Amino acid sequence: MLTYLGFAILGLVNAIVPFIVHSANYLIIPYPRWIVLLIETLPALATKLLMPHILHRVPYWMRPLTIGAGWIIVAIVTNVTPPNIAPPLRILTSVLGSISAAAMEVSFLGMLRYYGRVGLAGWGAGVGAGAVFCAILPFVLTVWLESFLRDFIDCIYALTGAMLVAFFVILPGAPVNYPHAQQEASKVDVEDAFLLAQDPVEQLSRMLSTRNRLNLTKAMIRPFMMPLFGAFAIQALAYPGISRALPLPTSYTSFFSYFTTYGLAFQLGNFISRTHTLLLRPTSTKAAFTVIGASTFILLANSIFLIFSTEVFVGLLAFGAGLGGGAVYMAILDRVLQDKSFESGINLEFGLQVCDEGGPPCTNCLARNLEGCSYLTEPPTQLPATETRRKIELELMHRWTSSSYKSLASIPEDNQWLQEDMARWALKHEYLLQGMFAFSALEVALCGGAVVVEEDYDTYYAKLAVEYYDKASRSFRAQLENVNSENAQKIFMFSFLAVAVNMALGQCSAFEELHEGVLERMVTLWELLMGNASIANQHFDALISGALSRSTEALMLRTQLQTETPTSLSKETEEALESLSTIINKACETPSGSTPNDQSEASVRISSYRTSFSAIQTCFVQDSKDIFKGMAIGFPALAGRDFGLALRSSDPMALLLMVFWGVQLDTLGKIAWWVGTFGKKMVDEVSEMLWEPDPEFEVMDMSEWRECITWARAEVGLAPIVGATEEP
């Protein structure tokens, strides 16, 4: 309740103060009305566009004091200057009032990430009530009280005081960092209020560059800024725009009284929608735009053709225009609040956030086209969960226990510990919990079945997965320094989840334009899989005990059964492996006359080739027996680290082996959604790289070389490369 009241007062004050300033100056600024409106609105527009880029440099406690000082200066200057003073000073006070109000709106809306929808509802109610007050103030003040608008300027002092009381006293757990600030963590309006005591500025080691902030701002134009601009433009057309051109009803003796009634109807609709929209939880603004558009269109037509002047009908249309505009405003801000609640990092005001420490380059910086990574000295403070966030996390955990875990099971015995034990582990290990959320969110994005957010679910859940994975990675890196028998199973499983998440991210359309090439992603996956294998080697005894003991016993029995099961490779695959063996043998020949150093390097290379060929052959043979699934994932561990070095240097022989691995992954992708088409993409991209012979590598001129490539493309359903010919 305190949150609602505090933001209601802030919104009320922010709506009334600039109106008083502009009203006091309007009649004594000798310019046409449209110029006066530009004087009032352009400074506010510039402030709202620029403030998010500098707001993080101003401590929270200083913001209301600075804004209040600006308002008091305006009130003093307006009071002490006579009406006949030169226009520039009047214009200056109007500009200062507009800037102060715009800065207050940007700052306090940015604070909503701490207070959620309750704060937004309070702000909407306060702004709506202030607009209603402003609609009737001129008439009441001049007609009923027979006074002047500028006589009301002294009220700014009281309103400024109300703003400061609302910020420093009423708002629970206000994130102010004035000296010796005492936060009441027990106040129920904000969870973990004590975490909000520090200004986020103090937690940043360096800020985003201007270019990065512009890139982030561009991403907000279409989903947020354009709807708000459209609603504001239509509202401005309805009121005060065309209201002066409407026919005057016969029941009114003056236009002033009619204009006041019209404005009151409009602002009442605006107030009602701002106070009730969040209760309806709209998922779209189509209905609101329909209402405001239809009402304004009828009013516009009436102002041109003078069709009717019925007071009630005109009032209802004005009410509808206000109703639709207020609904758009609240729905868009609610969407901003929910979308930005999932973003990691500290500086979240209006989505201008810092690097997530997941790199370099980290996923956030990659997805947002940022030119560099900015690091925090400490992990970011975890903000209170919103209601939507709790629902989504419940959905993702349900998804894990009912579906996601199945795609990771190699044998049926894996199902029990993946479904039950993993969920229990996650409750005690944050990195594992966030990793499971990321994995399940990607399954929703790629396979469908969204529950909480159904509109554009693929993009929404893909971005959500990135945020969860980034959080998990930060926590996971800290755990790597202390791997022991107690946490080895959890560390191992997250390292494997990291592999699955990276494979799945490569298939998300939301990041299609930002993805690195398959070759770069192959190297990343190789390193992740080698890290996973390293954990398994060092803590093998811990991994096969406890929850995994049943799976271990079953796996040993299946391994024994596998040795007794005949292979069932297709003739084409056997021929391709034979051709690969021929190429490997040719590549392992040591040139005569080579130096000892060359021979040493050649020995390492030859060993790597033979080991990796044996590994890929084993994967094909074992997969053909169909005793357990996922043998392809073991290829990096079987091939060894030397092969990884060859892959990193783009060695053609290593790349050809990766084409064969791509065929294996393509087969696995048919039963594991997170692998999906990754293998096919790998074969497609790498085979085109290897098709044209390189004079430095004789093996690429062998007929078997292109035979292997042609076979691999056919296996994954790709057309032959143009120019391919059958070898005799």
Side-chain angles (χ1 to χ4, degrees), residues 438-450:
F439 187 73
S440 295
L442 284 171
E443 185 184 21
V444 175
L446 294 174
C447 303

Side-chain angles (χ1 to χ4, degrees), residues 70 316 444 455 553:
L316 287 175
V444 175
E455 185 177 353
E553 294 174 2

Side-chain angles (χ1 to χ4, degrees), residues 133-454:
F133 179 80
C134 294
I136 62 174
L137 178 63
F139 185 84
V140 172
L141 204 60
T142 58
V143 177
W144 288 2
L145 301 181
E146 298 181 350
S147 182
F148 296 99
L149 290 173
R150 69 190 309 267
D151 293 338
F152 204 67
I153 200 75
D154 289 335
C155 292
I156 290 180
Y157 302 122
L159 291 170
T160 301
M163 176 197 68
L164 297 177
V165 170
F167 183 85
F168 289 104
V169 179
I170 297 178
L171 280 183
V176 293
N177 62 340
Y178 50 85
H180 311 296
Q182 299 295 324
Q183 305 299 327
E184 297 183 32
S186 61
K187 293 183 178 179
V188 298
D189 294 64
V190 180
E191 300 177 22
D192 300 329
F194 68 96
L195 295 176
L196 309 180
Q198 289 188 329
D199 185 353
V201 176
E202 295 183 349
Q203 301 182 44
L204 296 176
S205 59
R206 59 190 178 98
M207 303 298 169
L208 288 171
S209 67
T210 301
R211 178 181 175 184
N212 285 342
R213 293 184 180 279
L214 291 176
N215 286 335
L216 293 172
T217 304
K218 289 177 184 177
M220 303 182 69
I221 292 177
R222 183 175 179 180
F224 305 128
M225 296 170 69
M226 290 301 293
L228 288 175
F229 173 78
F232 178 81
I234 298 173
Q235 271 198 318
L237 179 62
Y239 175 79
I242 58 178
S243 59
R244 297 179 178 274
L246 292 171
L248 183 67
T250 56
S251 58
Y252 287 93
T253 57
S254 69
F255 175 79
F256 192 19
S257 60
Y258 165 69
F259 182 74
T260 300
T261 305
Y262 179 90
L264 178 61
F266 178 89
Q267 297 297 2
L268 281 175
N270 184 45
F271 172 71
I272 291 174
S273 63
R274 286 174 182 263
T275 53
H276 290 77
T277 297
L278 296 185
L279 298 177
L280 302 176
R281 299 180 179 275
T283 58
S284 173
T285 57
K286 292 180 180 178
F289 268 112
T290 300
V291 172
I292 186 177
S295 300
T296 304
F297 177 79
I298 296 174
L299 288 171
L300 179 62
N302 190 42
S303 68
I304 297 174
F305 301 107
L306 305 179
I307 303 171
F308 57 86
S309 61
T310 307
E311 177 184 352
V312 175
F313 193 30
V314 172
L316 287 175
L317 289 173
F319 180 85
L323 192 72
V328 171
Y329 182 88
M330 295 300 289
I332 293 297
L333 287 185
D334 185 42
R335 189 186 305 169
V336 173
L337 186 62
Q338 293 188 41
D339 287 356
K340 297 306 173 185
S341 295
F342 298 114
E343 297 196 4
S344 60
I346 292 298
N347 189 26
L348 291 176
E349 297 194 25
F350 294 89
L352 301 181
Q353 70 180 83
V354 296
C355 166
D356 53 49
E357 291 190 282
C362 71
T363 316
N364 275 349
C365 293
L366 180 66
R368 291 165 179 79
N369 194 27
L370 304 187
E371 60 185 7
C373 286
S374 303
Y375 285 90
L376 302 177
T377 55
E378 298 292 339
T381 302
Q382 188 171 358
L383 302 179
T386 63
E387 182 179 354
T388 302
R389 185 189 187 98
R390 286 191 288 267
K391 288 182 178 179
I392 285 182
E393 291 183 349
L394 181 61
E395 174 193 3
L396 295 178
M397 181 55 76
H398 175 265
R399 183 83 176 208
W400 172 271
T401 57
S402 62
S403 173
S404 302
Y405 77 93
K406 296 178 182 178
S407 64
L408 297 174
S410 177
I411 55 178
E413 288 78 6
D414 287 339
N415 288 324
Q416 182 176 354
W417 68 267
L418 282 171
Q419 182 184 28
E420 300 176 8
D421 293 283
M422 279 277 286
R424 282 195 291 269
W425 295 344
L427 297 178
K428 297 181 179 180
H429 300 273
E430 184 71 15
Y431 63 90
L432 190 58
L433 179 65
Q434 303 288 355
M436 290 164 62
F437 284 159
F439 187 73
S440 295
L442 284 171
E443 185 184 21
V444 175
L446 294 174
C447 303
V451 177
V452 178
V453 179
E454 298 182 70

Side-chain angles (χ1 to χ4, degrees), residues 56 76 98 112 205 214 234 288-289 357 365 370 409 431 444 454 501 509 566 585 607 617 643 648 681 688 710 726:
H56 54 272
I76 293 174
S98 295
L112 288 176
S205 59
L214 291 176
I234 298 173
F289 268 112
E357 291 190 282
C365 293
L370 304 187
Y431 63 90
V444 175
E454 298 182 70
V501 167
S509 58
N585 290 332
S607 175
Q617 187 177 41
F643 180 81
R648 182 180 285 276
K681 292 179 180 178
E688 289 186 353
T710 303
E726 293 291 334

